[in-house]
Amino acid sequence: MTMEKIKHKIIPVNGLNMHVAELGEGPLVLFLHGFPELWYSWRHQMVFMAARGYRAVAPDMRGYGETTGAPLEDPSKFTVLHLVGDLILLLDAIAPNEDKVFVVGHDWGAIIAWYLCLYRPDRVKALVNLSVPYYPWDPKMNLVEKFRSLYGDDHYIGRFQEPGDIEAEFAKIGVKEVLKNFLAFRNPGPLFFPKGKGFGYSAERAPWLTEEDLDYYVSRFEKTGFTGAVNYYRALGLNWELNAPWSRAQVKVPTKFLLGELDLTYHVPGTKDYIHKGGFQKFVPLLQETVVLEGAAHFVNQERPEEINEHIYAFLKQF
């Protein structure tokens, strides 16, 4: 199975025309990408799983790539309820005879996968999530306030809140430079974006990313801009309001969790203790394994594809 065999479809879903990449036949594995990525982030995993008898499906998520129809001017249409709705209706359309599917998520895709499993565990056979653990609903503060209190106003999540603001900064830097710098980020500390100062550095292209790969991302983001992608962050406060009914709820789907040792998510204060000292297991009781990949950073599925492929396959073939 090779990349060239990947089929591309546009499927009308939940008011969108959703672009879906697909390869292989067999039990469906739904791959969910994060920021600032595309279905393309899963190219290595799709080829690997398709060669082993699975049907690998990776959409461009709402607001990204060749998925069109999202109301970009309205961040309130980018809540996790909308995003999970997109996926349930996508599964209804492409796999009407499969009650449950396998799900693999990274970064924002992992967050959406957690909520998919929280809201609709009846649709998920097993989950492999990368980079972002499940965090229970916090009655005291939403994530935007939490990161502001931890890191101040220059932290990227706070800087992403004002519509149009970060887009203007990205426009000055240029799409290629923005993507090159994000994808090469290996600092285990927080990502700051001081107003008017951009990244404050220019990274080399990540060694795991070919020029052709980078061009693929650049060509799509040049077409769409970054508003759709950044709207996920702008809906964080609203997600917090809407998810109050799931206070203290558990994710009850068999799960494996993977992340890079240098991933910025792993170094948020309190996260290591939460992951390794029982908190995570309490809220994801069917968590079977957590793997921290030594020396790997945030985009671990692209940086270390062979290892990630083997981890996904070893877990999913049990079911």
Side-chain angles (χ1 to χ4, degrees):
M1 288 274 185
T2 59
M3 279 280 290
E4 291 73 59
K5 296 215 169 113
I6 291 176
K7 293 190 219 116
H8 296 270
K9 300 174 181 170
I10 299 288
I11 298 172
V13 164
N14 206 17
L16 308 173
N17 287 313
M18 190 166 240
H19 169 240
V20 175
E22 184 178 322
L23 185 65
E25 288 176 18
L28 194 146
V29 186
L30 181 64
F31 290 97
L32 306 176
H33 72 77
F35 173 89
E37 299 180 89
L38 298 162
W39 77 268
Y40 191 79
S41 314
W42 296 110
R43 60 199 177 281
H44 306 296
Q45 287 72 36
M46 291 179 74
V47 171
F48 184 91
M49 294 303 286
R52 281 153 187 79
Y54 292 86
R55 180 185 175 198
V57 172
D60 279 337
M61 305 293 279
R62 173 179 288 245
Y64 277 91
E66 290 171 52
T67 290
T68 59
L72 299 182
E73 69 295 336
D74 185 356
S76 74
K77 297 291 192 284
F78 285 78
T79 71
V80 283
L81 286 154
H82 291 90
L83 299 164
V84 171
D86 296 345
L87 299 176
I88 292 294
L89 297 177
L90 177 65
L91 293 174
D92 288 350
I94 64 172
N97 303 320
E98 281 186 77
D99 292 339
K100 294 187 174 200
V101 301
F102 295 116
V103 178
V104 181
H106 171 252
D107 184 76
W108 259 105
I111 296 170
I112 296 155
W114 291 125
Y115 283 104
L116 172 62
C117 294
L118 185 67
Y119 304 153
R120 294 300 303 273
D122 59 306
R123 300 298 295 269
V124 184
K125 230 180 283 187
L127 170 68
V128 179
N129 251 351
L130 282 61
S131 180
V132 183
Y134 175 70
Y135 287 108
W137 187 80
D138 181 345
K140 293 191 286 296
M141 65 167 71
N142 73 45
L143 278 177
V144 180
E145 290 163 3
K146 181 179 176 178
F147 280 108
R148 211 167 255 145
S149 69
L150 280 173
Y151 297 128
D153 292 339
D154 286 345
H155 186 255
Y156 77 102
I157 289 178
R159 289 283 284 112
F160 281 7
Q161 294 306 309
E162 178 74 31
D165 182 29
I166 205 74
E167 291 93 327
E169 294 223 6
F170 286 168
K172 279 185 211 141
I173 298 165
V175 171
K176 187 166 189 171
E177 192 71 7
V178 168
L179 289 167
K180 183 164 67 78
N181 287 344
F182 270 124
L183 294 169
F185 190 77
R186 288 185 68 73
N187 179 354
L191 175 57
F192 291 111
F193 221 96
K195 199 165 177 66
K197 297 209 178 115
F199 287 91
Y201 63 87
S202 174
E204 294 295 312
R205 171 167 51 80
W208 45 263
L209 194 70
T210 67
E211 196 63 38
E212 190 188 358
D213 294 335
L214 181 58
D215 286 346
Y216 185 89
Y217 285 112
V218 171
S219 68
R220 298 314 185 268
F221 279 97
E222 276 179 345
K223 209 162 104 187
T224 61
F226 287 95
T227 299
V230 174
N231 277 346
Y232 287 51
Y233 295 91
R234 292 177 181 147
L236 278 169
L238 186 52
N239 286 341
W240 179 70
E241 290 177 30
L242 293 171
N243 278 298
W246 287 274
S247 172
R248 297 166 64 192
Q250 293 173 312
V251 172
K252 293 183 177 169
V253 165
T255 301
K256 178 172 187 165
F257 182 65
L258 308 160
L259 84 169
E261 171 195 29
L262 303 176
D263 196 321
L264 71 168
T265 59
Y266 191 44
H267 295 268
V268 172
T271 298
K272 286 183 188 175
D273 280 356
Y274 171 71
I275 288 174
H276 299 297
K277 294 188 176 171
F280 189 22
Q281 186 82 51
K282 180 183 161 193
F283 284 100
V284 187
L286 303 182
L287 177 67
Q288 291 187 15
E289 196 184 357
T290 293
V291 180
V292 180
L293 286 95
E294 210 175 305
H298 181 67
F299 297 97
V300 64
N301 48 317
Q302 298 184 77
E303 183 189 350
R304 303 266 277 272
E306 293 82 6
E307 275 172 85
I308 296 298
N309 294 346
E310 293 293 352
H311 277 297
I312 292 170
Y313 179 58
F315 186 65
L316 297 189
K317 73 179 183 186
Q318 304 171 66
F319 298 95

